[in-house]
Amino acid sequence: MELVKKNLHQMCVKSEAVSQITFDEDYNVPDAKADVGRMIQKKGEVEIGDIALNDGRARITGRLIFHLLYVSDGENRRICALTGDLPILETINLEGVEGGDKICLKWELEDLNIHLINSRKLNIRSVVTFHAHVEELGDIQVPIDVREEKGISQKRRDLNVMELGVQKKDTLRIKKEITLASNKPSIHEILWKEIEVRGLDLRAEEGKVTAKGELFIFCLYAGDDEDHPLQWLEQAIPFSGEVECAGCMMDMIPKIETTCLQNSMEIQPDADGEERMLQVDVVLEMDIRLYSEGAISILEDVYTPEMECVPVRKEETLESLLIRNSSKCRVSDRVQAHVPQNKILQICHSEGTIRLDEDRIVENGIEVQGIVELRILYIVSDDDMPFYATEAAIPFRHVIEAQGIGKECRYYLQNALEQLSTTMTDGNEIEVKVVMNLGAIVRRLHTIQAIQTVEERMLDQEKIQNMPGIVCYVVQPGDTLWDIARNFYTTVDQIRKINGLKSEEIVPMQQLILAKFTNA
């Protein structure tokens, strides 16, 4: 008996692992940099150089890059910036991984602390957590029919099934130019920069994926006047772009992850040759996966009263889309700024990062908990050294609605910072308001016993001859006409004909007359 099968494309996890690196290193300030007096603000990032896979191991090389904005020590106190890096060399055990496999690597930079040992030496402490998994494209074969076989009764199950339609990686490059206002001096040196992508909206369209959002840009710089006065600018610039994607269609379900591979800010001369322009360059890596969903009728069982059919089965797991939902979470808080003997005059820039700490399924939803990590740069009433910064964390708890979610479901969470505003309430207090987009793609799992082959055997004639020719059967809960017909070596059509049934619907305790199958 030959089965007709349909291949469903799926991404399967081959191996996964989590690893942590702890940094506790001393760093000498380069000779070209001024002595460090008071630290203002710090930040860090991870840059991956190379990943080598071989014999169940992933060897990762890269660096932890840290940035420090500080006040120089000595009589001529001034604002300075310092960038340094520490090497990363880590081996992660991934069972079954071989050279040529494709790895997905994510990382989190936690608890970056920079301590001042003396004016020429810093201590850098941090923890970097790597999440690595290797996936492979596989096909699940699902039986849907029997080829050219007469007299075969089929039992089917109808499902809506998701399968992978498009999978690719690509990059989206965003280039913008900013011209200084006429009342600001030209740029001598960039001291501190922040480039954030906010409100990123990714959509599947015919043959492409489109992206819209805003670049939030902040630049603190020294002017080119004689005393190099400190200046800053802050702008939100909308952008749009698209990535070609063969096979992409509007009705597909997108699961797209983005990682910022590069963000740079360079000084450029204007038409008059003066350094009054900034060129911002951002490169986003996009891991694009687009899923299609359609109805499929799965062949669950077969039989014929003329022979014994023994299905050989294999357990498979199929997925269907339960819900795709995005919701907004709004949080607010007041942050105390510790500024000795001074009051805040103006907020220069604020930056936020969402960190999810816990998620769990609750009734008709997914509860997520986490914090918004904040860095706020501001000016105080100190003419000699006005710049200060503070760091804070605002906790949040939110439920993403997902009607019908249960333990048999899997979900994928997405988060993005949409709005962040900071305003002064009094001399030492800052009010923070945050709007986040928290979304989830929820998939329901269906475990089936997929028929691989059907073995055909001769009927046990002695057993059939010993069965009564006519039986009165009382329908039990859960019975179907198909199951009854198979157990009594007859057919659904014959049962309906003998009992005068207009459909295949039966109810518990209903009495049916069953007769041995005959071709007459």
Side-chain angles (χ1 to χ4, degrees):
M1 187 180 296
E2 186 180 356
L3 299 177
V4 179
K5 298 182 180 181
K6 179 179 176 61
N7 289 333
L8 300 177
H9 301 298
Q10 302 284 343
M11 290 297 294
C12 306
V13 177
K14 185 176 181 180
S15 184
E16 57 185 339
V18 179
S19 181
Q20 276 192 339
I21 305 176
T22 301
F23 292 90
D24 187 356
E25 304 286 340
D26 291 343
Y27 179 84
N28 293 319
V29 178
D31 294 338
K33 294 294 183 179
D35 291 355
V36 180
R38 175 175 63 84
M39 294 186 292
I40 300 175
Q41 196 169 37
K42 65 183 184 300
K43 65 177 180 178
E45 60 203 56
V46 173
E47 182 182 275
I48 300 299
D50 183 56
I51 304 174
L53 297 179
N54 191 20
D55 295 333
R57 291 182 176 86
R59 189 173 183 269
I60 301 169
T61 57
R63 56 183 183 149
L64 168 63
I65 304 172
F66 59 89
H67 308 274
L68 179 65
L69 187 68
Y70 67 94
V71 181
S72 64
D73 199 14
E75 295 183 2
N76 297 324
R77 301 172 68 205
R78 56 191 178 90
I79 300 289
C80 302
L82 167 66
T83 296
D85 62 80
L86 299 175
I88 292 175
L89 180 59
E90 178 72 358
T91 299
I92 301 177
N93 293 321
L94 289 162
E95 186 177 350
V97 170
E98 304 171 353
D101 285 340
K102 295 182 179 180
I103 186 172
C104 179
L105 184 68
K106 299 180 182 179
W107 54 86
E108 294 179 5
L109 179 62
E110 305 173 26
D111 302 324
L112 175 64
N113 290 297
I114 301 178
H115 299 283
L116 186 63
I117 298 174
N118 57 53
S119 62
R120 305 300 304 173
K121 181 176 285 190
L122 306 172
N123 177 251
I124 314 297
R125 295 181 182 179
S126 185
V127 175
V128 176
T129 302
F130 289 109
H131 300 266
H133 67 271
V134 174
E135 294 180 319
E136 57 185 359
L137 182 62
D139 284 346
I140 297 177
Q141 291 192 331
V142 179
I144 58 172
D145 205 352
V146 177
R147 192 183 304 277
E148 298 179 357
E149 291 280 354
K150 296 181 179 180
I152 302 296
S153 296
Q154 303 178 14
K155 184 178 183 180
R156 297 180 169 277
R157 179 183 179 186
D158 295 330
L159 278 178
N160 283 329
V161 177
M162 284 177 59
E163 67 170 319
L164 184 65
V166 177
Q167 192 270 330
K168 67 173 293 188
K169 284 192 175 183
D170 211 326
T171 56
L172 176 67
R173 190 161 203 156
I174 308 164
K175 278 191 172 184
K176 297 292 181 180
E177 289 186 345
I178 302 172
T179 303
L180 297 183
S182 58
N183 61 344
K184 287 185 176 292
S186 299
I187 304 169
H188 172 70
E189 179 188 6
I190 296 175
L191 297 172
W192 195 258
K193 66 177 177 68
E194 299 280 4
I195 304 172
E196 288 182 272
V197 177
R198 292 187 187 173
L200 183 60
D201 182 22
L202 300 169
R203 299 194 178 186
E205 297 189 10
E206 297 298 324
K208 62 185 178 181
V209 172
T210 60
K212 291 182 180 180
E214 286 186 314
L215 284 183
F216 273 70
I217 298 166
F218 172 77
C219 176
L220 176 67
Y221 69 94
D224 67 349
D225 293 347
E226 184 178 352
D227 56 350
H228 299 307
L230 293 177
Q231 301 286 331
W232 73 88
L233 62 88
E234 188 173 32
Q235 285 192 20
I237 305 175
F239 71 85
S240 62
E242 61 183 48
V243 172
E244 291 185 5
C245 191
C248 179
M249 293 182 288
M250 292 184 67
D251 60 350
M252 284 185 162
I253 304 162
K255 178 189 172 186
I256 306 174
E257 297 183 353
T258 60
T259 304
C260 185
L261 289 183
Q262 171 191 324
N263 68 75
S264 62
M265 182 183 293
E266 296 181 354
I267 307 170
Q268 297 289 335
D270 61 8
D272 299 326
E274 297 181 343
E275 295 189 327
R276 300 186 58 79
M277 294 180 63
L278 291 172
Q279 181 171 293
V280 178
D281 193 358
V282 177
V283 178
L284 297 179
E285 182 183 59
M286 303 173 67
D287 186 355
I288 301 171
R289 298 184 188 185
L290 304 172
Y291 293 85
S292 59
E293 186 180 38
I296 184 172
S297 183
I298 300 171
L299 186 65
E300 281 198 319
D301 206 349
V302 296
Y303 89 93
T304 172
E306 299 178 356
M307 69 179 66
E308 192 78 31
C309 299
V310 182
V312 178
R313 304 176 183 273
K314 179 183 177 183
E315 185 174 282
E316 300 283 8
T317 300
L318 306 181
E319 298 178 339
S320 62
L321 179 67
L322 176 66
I323 194 169
R324 180 174 171 229
N325 192 16
S326 180
S327 60
K328 295 186 186 299
C329 173
R330 293 176 170 82
V331 295
S332 62
D333 202 353
R334 296 194 174 191
V335 175
Q336 292 292 328
H338 304 289
V339 183
Q341 301 177 351
N342 295 288
K343 291 186 176 182
I344 300 174
L345 298 180
Q346 185 177 356
I347 295 174
C348 300
H349 177 68
S350 54
E351 181 188 13
T353 303
I354 301 171
R355 188 181 300 279
L356 299 182
D357 296 327
E358 184 181 350
D359 54 84
R360 65 188 183 96
I361 294 176
V362 296
E363 185 177 0
N364 291 324
I366 304 168
E367 183 184 73
V368 294
Q369 297 182 52
I371 58 173
V372 182
E373 296 178 340
L374 299 169
R375 294 201 307 269
I376 306 172
L377 181 68
Y378 47 86
I379 293 177
V380 301
S381 55
D382 182 348
D383 295 336
D384 293 332
M385 192 47 59
F387 285 93
Y388 278 79
T390 191
E391 295 182 355
I394 300 178
F396 68 87
R397 183 194 301 261
H398 182 75
V399 175
I400 304 170
E401 185 177 347
Q403 292 289 332
I405 191 171
K407 294 181 179 180
E408 75 285 359
C409 296
R410 289 180 187 166
Y411 57 86
Y412 165 71
L413 298 177
Q414 297 171 306
N415 67 80
L417 186 66
E418 184 176 300
Q419 296 178 19
L420 171 61
S421 66
T422 50
T423 54
M424 297 180 297
T425 56
D426 59 33
N428 290 311
E429 191 176 62
I430 301 171
E431 184 178 34
V432 180
K433 293 182 179 180
V434 179
V435 179
M436 295 171 279
N437 281 328
L438 298 175
I441 299 174
V442 184
R443 297 168 289 177
R444 173 164 281 148
L445 306 185
H446 304 273
T447 301
I448 66 169
Q449 299 295 327
I451 302 174
Q452 304 300 300
T453 59
V454 177
E455 297 179 0
E456 299 178 35
R457 303 173 185 174
M458 297 297 294
L459 292 174
D460 185 345
Q461 295 296 333
E462 183 178 352
K463 176 182 176 182
I464 295 176
Q465 289 173 2
N466 291 332
M467 291 178 63
I470 298 177
V471 175
C472 180
Y473 179 77
V474 179
V475 176
Q476 302 299 307
D479 278 349
T480 66
L481 278 188
W482 195 93
D483 295 323
I484 295 170
R486 184 183 188 199
N487 292 336
F488 285 90
Y489 293 89
T490 183
T491 67
V492 171
D493 289 341
Q494 188 161 320
I495 296 175
R496 290 180 59 186
K497 182 178 178 181
I498 293 173
N499 291 275
L501 301 179
K502 295 181 179 180
S503 69
E504 294 187 12
E505 292 185 5
I506 53 177
V507 296
M509 305 310 293
Q510 182 177 349
Q511 294 184 354
L512 298 175
I513 302 298
L514 307 179
K516 283 185 181 180
F517 174 73
T518 176
N519 287 317

